[in-house]
Amino acid sequence: MNGTETLNRYLLALEAKEAFSGVVLITHGDCELYAQAYGYASRAWRIKNTLDVRFDTASITKLFTSIATLQLIDRDDLAFETQVVDFLGLQGTAISPDVTVFQLLTHSSGIGDDCEEEDGEVYEDLWRTKPNYSVTATVDFLPQFVHKAANFPPGQGCRYCNCSWILLGLIIEQITGMSYRDYVRENVFARAGMGHSDFLRLDRVHENVAEGADPIRDGSGRIVGWKRNVYSFPPVGSPDSGAYVTARDLDRFLRAVQAGDLLSPQLTEAFLTPQVRYRQRDDWTLMMGYGLVFYVDASGEVVCYQKEGINAGVSGVMRYFPQRDINVVILSNLENGVWEPIWTVHDLVMEGAFEA
């Protein structure tokens, strides 16, 4: 049995258990090696997912913010060494005046996050006492984190931090005079050929959009209902999360970056290069780039790099294998949809099951 048949049988089994709902796209250059959809875009109306459905990408959105920031550095409107507090006028907050743009891009700023996910906090809990619909502009996020104590001094650690990207979004807005979303629409989505991607509001009607929902289980683990995610995060995407894309658009984005269509040659190379050590795993050293996470083996070779995202009713991952020029995009409208499948696909790719 070849890789395509093996993967399809595996995903159909997950779909039958309602453990996967979403799309899987595997490409080699311009060639699609695998493109399939599973589960429901709308459980209420029993509408099936397709490759044309747009999914909330959660934190994959940070890649678009990163490219936007690097474009401003390319234009000499900004520098990696720019000190953020002075630039944004955030004196009097808990953010260190020594925090730089480089540190925001590499999760090495140490600033307090609005939700400390590495401590087990749940982002959805932020909205139990604060209306999620009250946070729609980038600046609206500031009260949630600017007075929180730092986790470490700038540059002396690496800890995943969503709100670093809120600050990058504010920098983009201050320099360009545009809203963050409009800048990304014009300078990232349009230039990369991402014709189906956008920032969509949860309280508006849009075509071809997957509705996020997670199972409600009884004491024995049996699914007895589904919980929609409309109260789990702000109603429209922000610099750290929430852009809607199709799988093919996300693949186009990475290919456009790799081709040098969005950045100068120097910053294209920098974007695709590990920058800061994040953490050690048994078989890998995880390195942070400017948004991407790199899996580096014991010999120092980059086996793959990726960006993932998770929220209630949302999960997604894009993982690229440079030695094989294979890109994998898995998007799901389940919180736990992509995590097991990406490692199954990873093993198949490493075994050569999808060689073009």
Side-chain angles (χ1 to χ4, degrees):
M1 186 181 299
N2 63 30
T4 297
E5 293 171 348
T6 300
L7 181 58
N8 190 45
R9 288 192 180 188
Y10 163 75
L11 291 169
L12 285 172
L14 289 183
E15 179 188 44
K17 297 186 297 183
E18 297 195 278
F20 182 69
S21 174
V23 294
V24 179
L25 175 68
I26 304 173
T27 64
H28 179 274
D30 294 332
C31 178
E32 289 189 359
L33 306 179
Y34 191 93
Q36 296 291 338
Y38 303 87
Y40 294 105
S42 170
R43 293 187 176 277
W45 294 100
R46 311 294 280 182
I47 297 171
K48 295 286 252 178
N49 278 316
T50 71
L51 270 297
D52 295 324
V53 166
R54 294 178 286 184
F55 289 82
D56 184 346
T57 59
S59 285
I60 294 174
T61 303
K62 291 180 174 68
L63 295 181
F64 312 138
T65 307
S66 175
I67 292 298
T69 303
L70 295 175
Q71 287 174 344
L72 300 181
I73 294 174
D74 258 338
R75 288 166 28 182
D76 292 327
D77 290 333
L78 189 66
F80 287 114
E81 300 79 20
T82 298
Q83 293 182 314
V84 175
V85 168
D86 286 344
F87 192 89
L88 292 176
L90 293 176
Q91 297 86 353
T93 67
I95 300 174
S96 168
D98 296 326
V99 168
T100 65
V101 167
F102 174 87
Q103 291 159 356
L104 295 181
L105 285 166
T106 57
H107 296 280
S108 59
S109 70
I111 69 170
D113 211 356
D114 58 0
C115 174
E116 296 288 358
E117 293 175 335
E118 294 205 5
D119 291 337
E121 294 181 4
V122 179
Y123 190 69
E124 186 177 19
D125 290 344
L126 287 175
W127 315 107
R128 294 186 180 277
T129 58
K130 181 176 184 176
N132 65 333
Y133 57 79
S134 68
V135 178
T136 57
T138 309
V139 70
D140 294 338
F141 288 86
L142 288 180
Q144 298 179 181
F145 70 95
V146 294
H147 296 295
K148 293 186 72 172
N151 289 298
F152 52 82
Q156 295 187 29
C158 186
R159 179 183 173 96
Y160 197 86
C161 180
N162 289 299
C163 288
S164 294
W165 303 81
I166 297 299
L167 296 178
L168 291 171
L170 288 171
I171 290 171
I172 292 165
E173 291 180 342
Q174 181 162 316
I175 291 174
T176 66
M178 303 171 68
S179 73
Y180 162 79
R181 299 180 195 109
D182 283 345
Y183 182 88
V184 170
R185 288 178 179 120
E186 293 184 20
N187 296 280
V188 181
F189 294 164
R191 287 175 59 181
M194 301 168 67
H196 304 287
S197 300
D198 205 348
F199 294 92
L200 307 177
R201 289 186 61 110
L202 289 171
D203 57 355
R204 301 290 190 272
V205 175
H206 304 282
E207 295 182 355
N208 292 331
V209 174
E211 298 175 349
D214 289 317
I216 301 169
R217 299 181 185 273
D218 63 16
S220 65
R222 184 173 61 93
I223 296 175
V224 295
W226 292 86
K227 179 185 177 184
R228 291 286 306 278
N229 62 356
V230 294
Y231 298 114
S232 302
F233 35 82
V236 64
S238 53
D240 67 325
S241 183
Y244 280 78
V245 307
T246 64
R248 289 188 174 112
D249 268 5
L250 192 53
D251 183 72
R252 288 187 189 100
F253 165 77
L254 183 64
R255 300 294 181 178
V257 172
Q258 293 168 337
D261 294 338
L262 300 181
L263 298 170
S264 67
Q266 293 79 13
L267 286 188
T268 296
E269 180 180 3
F271 180 77
L272 300 174
T273 300
Q275 301 293 332
V276 173
R277 184 181 180 278
Y278 179 40
R279 59 177 54 161
Q280 190 67 42
R281 296 279 176 81
D282 290 341
D283 299 324
W284 318 94
T285 299
L286 297 186
M287 301 281 291
M288 287 291 186
Y290 299 133
L292 292 168
V293 181
F294 295 80
Y295 287 69
V296 182
D297 67 16
S299 70
E301 179 180 31
V302 174
V303 176
C304 60
Y305 53 78
Q306 74 169 44
K307 186 69 191 85
E308 71 297 320
I310 182 171
N311 261 326
V314 179
S315 58
V317 62
M318 177 173 65
R319 182 175 295 185
Y320 179 74
F321 298 81
Q323 276 68 49
R324 292 170 167 80
D325 188 26
I326 288 179
N327 191 37
V328 178
V329 176
I330 308 180
L331 301 175
S332 176
N333 51 336
L334 290 171
E335 181 175 358
N336 293 315
V338 307
W339 313 116
E340 182 184 314
I342 186 57
W343 286 106
T344 297
V345 175
H346 181 103
D347 291 341
L348 289 169
V349 170
M350 297 302 291
E351 292 166 4
F354 293 105
E355 298 299 335

